[in-house]
Amino acid sequence: GQKLMPLNTIAYLGLGSNLDNPAAHIKRAVLEIAEFEETLLLARSSLYQSRPLGPQDQADFINAVVKIETGLSPQNLLKACQELEIKHGRIKKRHWGERTLDIDILLYGNKTVDLPELSIPHKGLKERDFVLLPLAEIEPELVLPCGETVRELCQNLQAFHLHRV
């Protein structure tokens, strides 16, 4: 078969859904991420249920985090994630509103990316329990580019509006 490229960057993706059987969307998306080219799925968290960040007149979200090893650049990984969102019929009705699938690149190695279309580490990473707790489940000692560990950030979280499902 073809020679595999060296897979060299560990990245973490956050997944969220609150429409149309969200847990099924997340589970399917995890399998589809494992099919990205030059990408290996290393771990996935449990599913967590969270209150919406935005308008409260919408269903709870189901969230998960996956750990991958990838040869894709941050931009190509973003593109693959966006294509997958579209495949799941992502319709963004309003800011922080309902969606069938949302995929965020949380971390990409130790890299910091600051582009209009892409910020890594993800801007909401440090205060969002629905990102930090699943991340802590798979990688509690993970050190962010800023030097803080996921475990430390979890200790700073005010209140958990989150439970495993």
Side-chain angles (χ1 to χ4, degrees):
Q2 72 226 66
K3 194 166 175 302
L4 282 175
M5 300 246 327
L7 302 174
N8 41 19
T9 304
I10 301 282
Y12 295 85
L13 305 177
L15 292 82
S17 173
N18 75 335
L19 282 181
D20 184 26
N21 194 346
H25 274 290
I26 300 292
K27 286 176 180 162
R28 200 166 82 234
V30 169
L31 299 175
E32 289 164 326
I33 287 166
E35 298 296 312
F36 284 177
E37 56 188 73
E38 295 174 50
T39 298
L40 212 53
L41 180 68
L42 299 180
R44 50 155 289 194
S45 72
S46 309
L47 298 180
Y48 290 78
Q49 188 171 344
S50 66
R51 296 291 307 136
L53 267 184
Q56 293 297 305
D57 58 338
Q58 57 179 318
D60 284 358
F61 275 80
I62 298 291
N63 298 95
V65 168
V66 297
K67 175 184 182 179
I68 59 174
E69 189 173 347
T70 188
L72 296 174
S73 67
Q75 287 84 348
N76 286 340
L77 182 57
L78 177 66
K79 215 172 116 221
C81 290
Q82 289 171 336
E83 283 165 6
L84 188 50
E85 289 176 341
I86 290 163
K87 189 174 154 191
H88 278 251
R90 172 176 184 167
I91 305 152
K92 190 171 172 182
K93 297 188 176 168
R94 49 184 175 167
H95 185 57
W96 281 351
E98 307 79 347
R99 62 229 19 211
T100 45
L101 182 64
D102 193 30
I103 307 174
D104 291 320
I105 302 174
L106 303 172
L107 294 161
Y108 183 93
N110 219 9
K111 223 170 144 59
T112 302
V113 178
D114 203 3
L115 297 167
E117 70 280 8
L118 184 61
S119 287
I120 302 175
H122 189 271
K123 293 247 186 285
L125 179 61
K126 291 184 174 188
E127 52 277 346
R128 295 182 178 175
D129 55 5
F130 60 85
V131 173
L132 285 172
L133 292 173
L135 203 48
E137 183 193 334
I138 53 181
E139 205 74 61
E141 301 310 326
L142 181 66
V143 181
L144 274 54
C146 63
E148 293 173 283
T149 66
V150 168
R151 190 190 292 278
E152 287 165 348
L153 290 167
C154 282
Q155 286 162 354
N156 298 339
L157 285 174
Q158 290 314 304
F160 298 139
H161 303 289
L162 198 67
H163 57 269
R164 274 191 215 199
V165 289

